[in-house]
Amino acid sequence: MTQTIPAGLRSWSMRWPEYTPADITPPELLPAALAHHVPDWAEGAATPADVHNWPLRQADALVPFQLDARGWPLHPQGRTGRTGRNLGKWAENAAADPIVVAGHGDDRRVLLITRDDIGVEAIPGGMCDPGETAPTTLARELREETGIDLSDHQPVILGRDLVDDWRNSDHAWVASTSALFVLPATVRAVAADDAVDAGWWPFGSLAELDAAISAAGRVLYGAHRPLLQRALDHLDRPQQAARPR
């Protein structure tokens, strides 16, 4: 997502007076529009200057971030080439991504949805509601998008990381808690909410998954590739030998 930014200039510590990021703010989040109506998925702050709880947001962040001289939040990984906001909140937007895997060996499958916003195959998941914990979001998003209820399962937390989301900007970005659910066999999945399709795909390797998705004329969401590879690494890790008593 940041391929237009030279590696040597991505860091905020590097001076770049000529830097002119593109504003990606949609019409409904521009100041004039927010003055009349705030969408239910967004906060009403027209700019980061209208946010007054930065110390709390910094303390609660999955990934630490700093503020610039104006008091505006800065993407933890540096310049993105984009400014403005196309997300619900300024700074970090916390999300949760449940990776559901079923079966073993050649029969191992992973559950993916087809996103209705960009039409690609992706992990089911979404943004945390205000006051909602990551485990609650994991179960809720999975149920809403696929009809599968794993609220009584204990997942393995794989990481809490920045996501290379297409909506990220210098001042608003996505960070996600990714977690692995392992089932003995596939269960019925029914697409709903933000998903237009849901199904199980071969998951012996990322290459195998890519091949299956490509053969179906579809595309895997690039931002989720690292999360899926982390799940594969965990699943393929040799089990520790039992300790002698």
Side-chain angles (χ1 to χ4, degrees):
M1 296 289 179
T2 56
Q3 62 270 22
T4 59
I5 304 298
L9 292 173
R10 189 172 184 189
S11 171
W12 295 111
S13 64
M14 300 300 297
R15 293 192 70 257
W16 189 5
E18 300 83 9
Y19 179 54
T20 53
D23 194 329
I24 62 169
T25 307
E28 61 268 27
L29 294 184
L30 292 174
L34 287 176
H36 292 88
H37 172 71
V38 179
D40 59 7
W41 53 271
E43 65 179 351
T47 75
D50 300 307
V51 176
H52 304 295
N53 64 340
W54 284 123
L56 178 61
R57 293 197 188 190
Q58 288 177 292
D60 290 343
L62 295 177
V63 179
F65 68 90
Q66 302 298 320
L67 305 178
D68 66 12
R70 300 173 296 173
W72 286 34
L74 295 174
H75 191 292
Q77 291 183 338
R79 297 180 175 95
T80 65
R82 298 177 296 276
T83 190
R85 171 172 64 119
N86 193 10
L87 289 162
K89 296 168 54 180
W90 292 102
E92 181 177 282
N93 290 257
D97 290 304
I99 303 171
V100 185
V101 176
H104 305 279
D106 293 340
D107 294 326
R108 191 165 68 189
R109 299 289 186 271
V110 65
L111 178 66
L112 298 178
I113 64 164
T114 305
R115 289 175 53 149
D116 66 355
D117 55 354
I118 51 178
V120 298
E121 303 306 297
I123 300 165
M127 300 298 177
C128 298
D129 287 341
E132 190 176 50
T133 64
T136 301
T137 305
L138 288 163
R140 176 182 58 77
E141 286 288 342
L142 183 62
R143 184 176 60 253
E144 290 177 353
E145 295 189 344
T146 71
I148 298 174
D149 188 353
L150 296 183
S151 57
D152 60 345
H153 286 60
Q154 184 67 38
V156 175
I157 302 300
L158 297 176
R160 297 174 176 86
D161 310 280
L162 294 168
V163 177
D164 196 15
D165 192 276
W166 63 281
R167 296 162 294 184
N168 287 351
S169 75
D170 289 350
H171 308 295
W173 57 88
V174 178
S176 175
T177 298
S178 57
L180 175 65
F181 293 84
V182 179
L183 305 180
T186 60
V187 295
R188 183 169 180 260
V190 179
D193 196 35
D194 297 330
V196 295
D197 194 11
W200 297 92
W201 297 85
F203 199 49
S205 67
L206 206 56
E208 181 183 32
L209 178 61
D210 274 329
I213 290 175
S214 296
R218 303 185 184 187
V219 177
L220 179 62
Y221 184 35
H224 284 173
R225 295 177 66 87
L227 305 183
L228 291 165
Q229 185 59 59
R230 182 178 292 172
L232 283 165
D233 292 342
H234 178 86
L235 290 166
D236 294 336
R237 185 181 305 153
Q239 294 185 352
Q240 292 182 350
R243 294 180 180 178
R245 297 185 178 184

